[in-house]
Amino acid sequence: MKLVGIAGSVADKSYNRMLLKYIASHFGDEADIELLDINDVPLFNQSDDQTEGDAVQYLKRKIEHADGIIIATPEHNHTITASLKSVIEWLSFKIHPMAGKPVMIVGASYYDQGSSRAQLNLRQILESPGVDAVVMPGNEFLLGDVKTAFDDQQNLKDERTVSFLKTTLEKFLKFVTVINDMNKPEDPGWEAEDLESHGKVETTVEGVDMHAADWVEKAAEKTHAAEGDDYVKLDRGLLTVNQLNYFLNSMPMELTYADANNQFIYYNHFLEAKDMLAARTPAQAGNPMADCHPKPAIPHVKQVIHMLRTGKTDMFRLPVPGMGADKYVMHYYKAMHDADGDYKGINELVLDIMPMVNYYLEHTGQMLVKDPDAETDAVSGASSRSKAAEKPAKPEVDEVSGASADAEPTAEPEKPAKPDVDEVSGASSNS
Amino acid sequence: MHKFVAIVGTNSDKSTNRKLLQFMQKHFAKQAEIELVEIKDLPLFNKPADKQIPATAQAIADQIDQADGVIISTPEYDHSAPAVLMNALEWLSYYIHPFADKPVMIIGASYGALGTSRAQEHLRQILDSPELRARIMPSSEFLLGHSLQAFDDDGNMIDQTKLAKLAGLFRDFETFVDLTKQLNHANEANRQEIRDLDWANL
């Protein structure tokens, strides 16, 4: 679970920051808690909107990607600090990243009241409609007499305090799960996947016809794309566009990039369509995915994309027969994500794994034999990964229904080596 | 004639709270001298270890010291007083005590119907804290809802019932200021306590 911690103080020395640091390190096994810095956030002013500024955007991004928030508040003048209030005002003015977020309030103070009034006040503020956070009820953690509460190593000295804090935090972790479950948007379902790519993502090139045969050239012109000897900085390295092409085109597999808008925007073009395991033509690049699949396959394609987009699975595997007895062609659909975990599309890898299997057998002096316990039933998609690993060779599978590459994903045909398959009906892989 | 400091509780360029105070300044000119004070130039309070307060805060403190009372008009952000007003009150209680035993009248204007009811309650709680110890006029509330429609082009309050209530409360505040002068038996003790109060131990 990922939490962010905000200490409601911009003073150089803050016991509330110390308390949060202690929680983050002491309970590191139970939750990943990142402390957020509010020092650079300007005082809220509705006439000088800084919502798009770095300091506010940083908080927005971190909060949006966190499962919950812990706020440690001091008490000044019977209330929370202006610096914390100012942060909340920015986060409730034009943007509302705290809406629906589970929040736990803690507080430390020099005297015995331990920020009791500030905590109540913070609760009221967080529940106002512009903020709309979900504050955990009860479980008030007030740390009074804070100057004597920590030892030299900045650990809380009193064991009962630590134990109460642990109980509170554990309750909060459950609270976070419950609240986030409650807030989960209704899944529109796989039917809502738009293979015509009517939507757009931030990388979508607008104003160029996706169906055009020269989409790549037109979109490159429009975006002033790097090419040839232009350098591209990568994680981790630096290549020219030419070098990147040499590299991708020498991969012993066919790679396809479909973005989060279900637009087919790239494949490594080192073979003619007729020689490919999953045929693609240069004119197809840029097409909405609907253009690249036969109509009957569309529902299955949607189901696979939806599973990857929603994280139900990170990789979907599909054996695609029909390329002859000496080949065992696999299609791997791997979800791609950015650093924040947002879905960025699908990396489709297509390769014939038989050369690898044969190489292995040859070099380890083994051979494929019939598994007397072989199950001939289809194995459901969900278990495909482990099953595939456990049962690499199942030579005697009797029949495979006319699977196209886009066969029923929930009943993935798990029938690896099938040397004597006679014929597979028409199914083109992905064309 | 009483002399009052009127704090505009916002840093917004456009503010009906400022408008309300400007109206009072003009409307009650024969009764009292009202001086408007802006808080938007104060830096963000960061509890500086050297206890130095900015000159802009000291200037406001001096004005309050010389006034018979303070009027604060507050907007409401997120069910509470705005950060910029809280910020001003933090500076105005950081090793200086202009609010100690100072009579305060709280009012507020809002675009919506509620007229800052929660922010005023919050502000009362803040002004009542041991760091500030203001004398807030009790059992009085002036909530100006739908404030965008409350004034005419000359800045005069349109609703006469509202105006009568404000005028009554303002008279009461003047009486309260005089009364407060008699509530003086604990003044010295209060001042001593507030002088002894150290933010480093708070």
Side-chain angles (χ1 to χ4, degrees):
Chain A
M1 184 171 296
K2 206 170 158 33
L3 304 177
V4 290
I6 297 174
S9 170
V10 292
D12 292 337
K13 186 178 173 70
S14 158
Y15 282 99
N16 280 284
R17 204 176 300 131
M18 198 186 283
L19 173 60
L20 274 183
K21 276 188 185 157
Y22 172 78
I23 293 174
S25 66
H26 195 76
F27 300 108
D29 289 343
E30 297 174 55
D32 169 17
I33 305 172
E34 182 184 4
L35 262 63
L36 304 184
D37 190 353
I38 62 167
N39 281 357
D40 296 330
V41 179
L43 187 55
F44 179 79
N45 183 342
Q46 67 176 35
S47 305
D48 181 16
D49 187 2
Q50 305 273 325
T51 304
E52 294 303 319
D54 289 347
V56 177
Q57 286 296 314
Y58 153 82
L59 292 176
K60 169 183 182 275
R61 214 169 44 243
K62 290 289 182 186
I63 290 171
E64 279 176 348
H65 288 99
D67 299 306
I69 309 169
I70 304 176
I71 302 180
T73 180
E75 180 169 309
H76 292 176
N77 299 340
H78 277 181
T79 186
I80 65 169
T81 58
S83 47
L84 176 57
K85 179 73 202 301
S86 170
V87 166
I88 296 172
E89 286 173 4
W90 285 120
L91 299 179
S92 60
F93 180 45
K94 295 281 173 70
I95 53 173
H96 308 273
M98 297 174 85
K101 285 279 170 198
V103 178
M104 172 167 124
I105 298 173
V106 297
S109 87
Y110 293 147
Y111 66 121
D112 53 8
Q113 287 284 320
S115 74
S116 58
R117 292 187 181 87
Q119 290 199 25
L120 269 177
N121 191 210
L122 182 55
R123 229 166 242 288
Q124 179 179 340
I125 292 167
L126 291 172
E127 287 177 357
S128 68
V131 187
D132 201 21
V134 187
V135 189
M136 179 165 71
N139 300 287
E140 214 170 31
F141 184 80
L142 308 163
L143 185 63
D145 301 317
V146 77
K147 280 189 176 174
T148 57
F150 292 95
D151 65 16
D152 296 346
Q153 312 297 311
Q154 306 198 338
N155 287 315
L156 280 175
K157 288 194 281 198
D158 183 49
E159 273 180 32
R160 277 168 45 217
T161 305
V162 175
S163 139
F164 178 65
L165 184 58
K166 184 174 159 64
T167 313
T168 307
L169 186 75
E170 281 167 355
K171 276 188 196 166
F172 181 59
L173 298 180
K174 285 186 194 159
F175 182 75
V176 168
T177 310
V178 170
I179 295 303
N180 287 338
D181 260 3
M182 187 180 88
N183 287 339
K184 210 172 267 170
E186 279 298 305
D187 183 351
W190 60 266
E191 292 93 339
E193 283 294 341
D194 174 21
L195 299 195
E196 301 284 350
S197 314
H198 290 110
K200 63 170 180 138
V201 290
E202 62 268 35
T203 46
T204 300
V205 181
E206 292 182 89
V208 180
D209 179 12
M210 291 182 182
H211 305 278
D214 59 350
W215 177 85
V216 173
E217 285 68 31
K218 283 188 172 144
E221 194 185 328
K222 183 128 194 184
T223 54
H224 310 291
E227 61 181 323
D229 292 326
D230 293 343
Y231 285 93
V232 182
K233 189 182 174 198
L234 298 157
D235 177 21
R236 176 76 193 150
L238 185 75
L239 297 172
T240 65
V241 175
N242 281 336
Q243 285 176 312
L244 199 51
N245 278 325
Y246 308 149
F247 190 63
L248 291 166
N249 287 340
S250 59
M251 292 285 169
M253 63 189 79
E254 295 165 13
L255 298 170
T256 300
Y257 194 125
D259 71 13
N261 188 34
N262 299 335
Q263 185 184 6
F264 159 39
I265 53 172
Y266 170 81
Y267 74 103
N268 58 343
H269 175 217
F270 64 97
L271 289 174
E272 294 304 310
K274 64 177 169 47
D275 299 323
M276 293 178 76
L277 299 173
R280 278 118 176 71
T281 64
Q284 281 180 308
N287 282 5
M289 277 164 78
D291 291 13
C292 322
H293 295 84
K295 257 220 164 72
I298 295 281
H300 300 149
V301 176
K302 286 186 174 185
Q303 284 166 16
V304 171
I305 296 170
H306 186 251
M307 285 166 71
L308 295 166
R309 186 189 298 278
T310 53
K312 281 198 190 83
T313 184
D314 195 44
M315 175 141 84
F316 185 77
R317 297 154 201 246
L318 189 69
V320 177
M323 305 297 289
D326 58 332
K327 285 192 169 63
Y328 195 79
V329 177
M330 288 297 299
H331 288 219
Y332 297 94
Y333 302 87
K334 172 99 177 104
M336 297 184 285
H337 297 96
D338 67 10
D340 291 327
D342 286 341
Y343 176 75
K344 290 292 161 190
I346 299 170
N347 181 356
E348 181 184 358
L349 305 86
V350 178
L351 73 158
D352 172 18
I353 63 167
M354 275 319 285
M356 282 184 259
V357 173
N358 288 335
Y359 180 92
Y360 174 79
L361 295 174
E362 216 171 287
H363 286 77
T364 56
Q366 299 184 70
M367 58 190 288
L368 296 173
V369 294
K370 194 168 162 181
D371 178 357
D373 301 327
E375 296 163 30
T376 49
D377 292 351
V379 178
S380 77
S383 59
S384 62
R385 209 172 315 181
S386 51
K387 287 279 169 78
E390 284 160 24
K391 301 177 182 158
K394 270 203 276 167
E396 274 223 345
V397 160
D398 37 25
E399 266 202 292
V400 174
S401 64
S404 78
D406 308 295
E408 180 68 63
T410 46
E412 181 179 334
E414 167 100 16
K415 290 156 188 163
K418 203 160 57 74
D420 53 6
V421 83
D422 33 25
E423 264 204 290
V424 176
S425 66
S428 73
S429 50
N430 237 346
S431 57
Chain B
M1 195 187 272
H2 285 125
K3 203 172 145 186
F4 297 131
V5 162
I7 295 178
V8 181
T10 176
N11 48 2
S12 174
D13 294 340
K14 277 179 65 183
S15 159
T16 51
N17 282 285
R18 188 180 290 115
K19 246 185 171 168
L20 174 59
L21 289 174
Q22 284 165 343
F23 167 73
M24 288 174 72
Q25 184 180 40
K26 196 173 69 175
H27 191 78
F28 300 123
K30 284 185 189 138
Q31 271 170 262
E33 184 190 332
I34 299 176
E35 191 179 8
L36 260 64
V37 164
E38 297 284 350
I39 53 174
K40 60 183 168 200
D41 295 328
L42 295 173
L44 183 62
F45 180 71
N46 59 352
K47 214 177 167 183
D50 64 5
K51 304 180 185 177
Q52 283 300 309
I53 69 159
T56 40
Q58 187 59 57
I60 297 173
D62 293 344
Q63 278 176 287
I64 294 173
D65 271 336
Q66 285 155 27
D68 297 304
V70 179
I71 304 166
I72 304 179
S73 190
T74 181
E76 179 170 304
Y77 294 167
D78 300 329
H79 284 181
S80 52
V84 69
L85 179 55
M86 294 165 66
N87 185 61
L89 294 173
E90 280 177 299
W91 283 121
L92 294 172
S93 58
Y94 195 62
Y95 298 106
I96 53 174
H97 329 105
F99 277 99
D101 289 328
K102 186 68 68 180
V104 177
M105 174 182 185
I106 297 173
I107 57 177
S110 77
Y111 294 175
L114 296 183
T116 72
S117 56
R118 297 181 183 95
Q120 292 196 28
E121 200 53 48
H122 183 216
L123 190 50
R124 270 176 195 276
Q125 179 181 328
I126 294 171
L127 290 165
D128 219 10
S129 68
E131 302 95 308
L132 284 152
R133 282 173 199 262
R135 299 270 194 185
I136 313 146
M137 179 157 74
S139 308
S140 68
E141 205 170 43
F142 184 74
L143 308 166
L144 184 64
H146 305 296
S147 59
L148 281 175
Q149 293 83 44
F151 301 97
D152 66 18
D153 292 346
D154 300 325
N156 291 315
M157 198 176 284
I158 297 167
D159 184 337
Q160 293 304 305
T161 317
K162 276 269 171 211
L163 178 54
K165 162 98 190 233
L166 181 62
L169 282 176
F170 190 70
R171 276 267 179 243
D172 282 354
F173 184 56
E174 292 194 277
T175 310
F176 179 70
V177 167
D178 295 336
L179 268 174
T180 303
K181 287 186 180 131
Q182 296 169 47
L183 304 177
N184 57 6
H185 300 90
N187 281 2
E188 198 35 53
N190 283 345
R191 280 202 193 107
Q192 191 54 47
E193 274 182 28
I194 206 168
R195 275 196 293 271
D196 291 346
L197 189 150
D198 187 346
W199 277 72
N201 291 315
L202 206 61

